Amino acid sequence: MRDPFNVGESSDLEHLVWKSGERERVYKGPIFDVCSIVRTSSDGRTSRFVEVDSPDWVTVIPWYRAENGKPMFVMVQQFRHGSSSVTREFPAGVIEHGEDPQVAGLRELKEETGLVSDPLTALGNVSPNSAFMNNRTHFYLAEGLSLVADQSLDPNEQLDVLSVSVDEVIASMGTGLYDNGIMMIALGFFLREAKKRPFLYTTKE
């Protein structure tokens, strides 16, 4: 029996790897495709699995300090068709084929809010759902914000732009309007950056 209380990282991961075999596209859609893929485990078991073939995503966290010294986020509110509800989120979108993630982040920021950023800091990227999705989602912190344009939304986009204090977002993430798992990941990346730069979430007197 393996000891779950054994502290340390295991360097032997090879026995967990399933080797890929035949891959077939079974559905082609406007947002993602669905593939069926055969994989074989290290102990000889073979099965067929579902893989969602999706473009990479990008999320931008626009940050600034209000005149009263409070750190603030610029966020957007929109109706989400998967949950049939309005959510409050950081600007985000799909990275176009061949597009640099940073370029995509700046594009989405400007399209959704009219803002540009200098600097734009890469915070990291992760698999949004490694159980069946094959894409990555990238996260950036946008500072030095300037309003330069009106919104330039896609035909079926409808969203409001507003400022929310960093304190409120930290306290509310995962509840109510903040019901979006990708935003929780974004906040985690922000808090890791803020641990190195505490002024990102402290009020300036």
Side-chain angles (χ1 to χ4, degrees):
M1 178 181 295
R2 295 183 182 273
D3 181 4
F5 303 106
N6 182 35
V7 178
E9 295 185 4
S10 172
S11 58
D12 178 19
L13 302 178
E14 192 63 29
H15 67 285
L16 297 174
V17 176
W18 290 60
K19 293 183 179 179
S20 299
E22 177 192 4
R23 188 171 185 267
E24 177 187 3
R25 194 172 305 277
V26 296
Y27 168 78
K28 186 170 181 60
I31 301 176
F32 58 81
D33 299 343
V34 177
C35 298
S36 173
I37 184 167
V38 174
R39 286 200 168 101
T40 303
S41 70
S42 60
D43 59 9
R45 287 170 291 162
T46 297
S47 189
R48 187 173 291 273
F49 298 89
V50 171
E51 180 182 89
V52 173
D53 187 12
S54 172
D56 286 355
W57 304 331
V58 64
T59 297
V60 179
I61 306 171
W63 180 95
Y64 74 98
R65 191 175 297 281
E67 291 183 0
N68 64 1
K70 287 187 73 68
M72 307 289 291
F73 291 133
V74 176
M75 305 191 76
V76 298
Q77 295 181 160
Q78 60 186 311
F79 183 84
R80 285 303 194 183
H81 295 275
S83 61
S84 297
S85 64
V86 174
T87 60
R88 181 175 293 173
E89 309 171 3
F90 300 117
V94 172
I95 300 174
E96 302 295 340
H97 180 70
E99 188 177 26
D100 181 87
Q102 181 168 323
V103 172
L106 290 170
R107 174 180 54 75
E108 288 290 344
L109 176 65
K110 188 176 181 181
E111 288 177 357
E112 294 191 1
T113 69
L115 294 168
V116 295
S117 166
D118 185 17
L120 188 72
T121 304
L123 299 179
N125 65 87
V126 296
S127 170
N129 190 330
S130 56
F132 57 84
M133 300 190 72
N134 63 12
N135 66 332
R136 309 286 296 176
T137 181
H138 300 254
F139 299 89
Y140 292 90
L141 177 63
E143 301 171 81
L145 303 176
S146 300
L147 182 62
V148 299
D150 292 327
Q151 289 176 311
S152 179
L153 302 177
D154 293 337
N156 290 323
E157 277 188 311
Q158 180 185 16
L159 53 85
D160 292 336
V161 183
L162 71 161
S163 288
V164 188
S165 72
V166 170
D167 284 345
E168 178 180 336
V169 175
I170 292 174
S172 302
M173 189 60 73
T175 67
L177 286 170
Y178 299 91
D179 185 32
N180 182 312
I182 300 297
M183 299 305 110
M184 183 70 82
I185 299 171
L187 186 61
F189 273 113
F190 172 81
L191 290 173
R192 186 170 71 180
E193 182 71 12
K195 191 172 183 179
K196 296 184 289 185
R197 297 193 285 158
F199 72 86
L200 289 171
Y201 63 84
T202 56
T203 299
K204 185 177 181 180
E205 300 295 338

